[in-house]
Amino acid sequence: MARIAIVGPGAIGGVMAAWLAQTGRHEVALCARRPLAGPLTVTNGSQVITADVDVLVDPARARAVDWVLVATKAYDAAGAAAWFPGLCANGAPVAVLQNGVEHRERFAGFMAPEKVVPVMVDCPAERTGPLQVRQRGLAKLAVADDAPGRAFAALFVGTDVAVETSEDFKSVLWRKLCVNAAGVLPALLLKPAAVFQDERIGEIARGIVRECIAVGRAEGASLDDDLAESVLARYRAAPPDSVNSLHADRAAGRPTEIDARNGVVVRLGRKHGIATPLNQMAVALIEAGK
Ligand SMILES: NC(=O)c1ccc[n+]([C@@H]2O[C@H](COP(=O)([O-])OP(=O)(O)OC[C@H]3O[C@@H](n4cnc5c(N)ncnc54)[C@H](OP(=O)(O)O)[C@@H]3O)[C@@H](O)[C@H]2O)c1
């Protein structure tokens, strides 16, 4: 049995909380910014999972747990960290379920780097109500194949959440970043995935991913040359009306994860002397368009 607190009761936090609670092996609480009433419901096609989980709203009253899972957006790291003093009073590790490649850097200053367990999230889902989530595909996570990564994976035994442990986790994160980096194009155009069918947009997407590959390789990731093509193929095979989270956030006037998805390519490119003009332009346009 583990006591697990999930900071961020959104799409990913909801899916993870529902599955972890379903095992009957864990005590699961959601840490939210405001009170949320009712059972947590996750719908995945015809499958409906319902879980009764505690909802905490005051970081000052948080009690020590065995694991903290952070499932806020990357830009809400500081707010999420306000929960750490209470929840991690006994030294609990913090699994960060967020996009990007800077899971540890994002929480530097709030948590010792060795306590942070970076998690790659591949789980299409969106919130449809305060404690309601629609999952639109398989829930897949990946972690490093080390002791903390394996301990994290063990939490999910008996659930439908697949947790892969990887000996080359850095490359796993960068491959996901390549997908996310190209996702800036529909967000800029405020059009769903169908825009990738346009060959001119496809060519820009390949360029954005090639910049990400170059920077990722300089950071030590192992990335195939054909990744640009496979990322584009993935977007072209997606439902034409699908909307990525950067697009959804921008359309709703919320902050976006542009820095975690494209800004990082520009920043790390600069560090390695690698030009990233397409990512740079994308960041500038998203930021100027706020
Ligand atoms: N959803 C997907 O399909 C998907 C797929 C792959 C990766 N990801 C990544 O997973 C991460 C989480 O995304 P998401 O889609 O689950 O986001 P989301 O639905 O927007 O949920 C984020 C949640 O964090 C909460 N939050 C923010 N600050 C908080 C704080 N200080 N204390 C407690 N809760 C706080 C928000 O609260 P409010 O309700 O008050 O706003 C919201 O409920 C992101 O990095 C995302 O890129 C998502």
Side-chain angles (χ1 to χ4, degrees):
M1 200 279 282
R3 289 165 302 166
I4 304 172
I6 301 181
V7 181
I12 299 304
V15 171
M16 301 309 147
W19 274 113
L20 289 167
Q22 266 244 326
T23 63
R25 289 185 287 119
H26 306 307
E27 228 174 70
V28 181
L30 279 169
C31 300
R33 289 194 278 207
R34 56 190 69 94
L36 303 167
L40 168 66
T41 306
V42 176
T43 310
N44 186 4
S46 57
Q47 184 183 41
V48 181
I49 320 166
T50 305
D52 276 311
V53 294
D54 287 337
V55 178
L56 317 176
V57 291
D58 183 1
R61 299 181 64 180
R63 298 270 172 81
V65 293
D66 303 309
W67 272 94
V68 176
L69 275 54
V70 174
T72 65
K73 289 279 173 52
Y75 50 76
D76 278 325
W83 289 92
F84 295 170
L87 297 175
C88 303
N90 292 344
V94 175
V96 177
L97 288 76
Q98 290 180 337
N99 272 330
V101 294
E102 297 177 304
H103 301 66
R104 288 206 169 89
E105 292 83 347
R106 212 170 284 144
F107 288 93
F110 302 116
M111 182 53 55
E114 67 275 11
K115 283 285 179 188
V116 175
V117 181
V119 183
M120 190 284 290
V121 183
D122 183 2
C123 172
E126 73 242 352
R127 250 183 315 175
T128 52
L131 278 177
Q132 282 99 46
V133 178
R134 183 186 302 126
Q135 196 184 325
R136 285 180 289 102
L138 296 173
K140 291 185 269 180
L141 305 177
V143 287
D145 188 14
D146 54 19
R150 287 191 289 273
F152 174 82
L155 298 174
F156 288 89
V157 170
T159 73
D160 274 12
V161 179
V163 189
E164 179 200 339
T165 53
S166 171
E167 286 178 5
D168 185 10
F169 181 60
K170 179 175 276 194
S171 301
V172 171
L173 283 183
W174 276 90
R175 267 178 225 123
K176 177 75 195 297
L177 188 67
C178 284
V179 175
N180 283 152
V184 75
L185 291 170
L188 278 167
L189 294 162
L190 292 175
K191 289 188 171 177
V195 288
F196 285 107
Q197 305 299 341
D198 183 325
E199 185 45 32
R200 297 162 302 176
I201 300 300
E203 192 47 28
I204 300 171
R206 289 186 191 97
I208 287 175
V209 177
R210 284 190 198 112
E211 290 179 4
C212 194
I213 291 172
V215 177
R217 284 177 176 163
E219 284 285 303
S222 167
L223 304 168
D224 292 339
D225 285 336
D226 66 5
L227 189 54
E229 211 51 56
S230 61
V231 167
L232 181 58
R234 175 177 162 153
Y235 276 114
R236 285 181 168 168
D241 59 350
S242 55
V243 168
N244 72 43
S245 65
L246 191 73
H247 175 176
D249 282 342
R250 180 165 186 250
R254 294 188 291 258
T256 71
E257 292 188 308
I258 185 70
D259 183 66
R261 296 167 59 128
N262 299 87
V264 61
V265 179
V266 178
R267 284 186 280 105
L268 294 177
R270 226 172 257 142
K271 178 178 119 187
H272 294 289
I274 296 169
T276 58
L278 292 173
N279 280 278
Q280 203 173 338
M281 182 172 77
V283 172
L285 292 176
I286 292 281
E287 287 181 348
K290 277 198 274 204

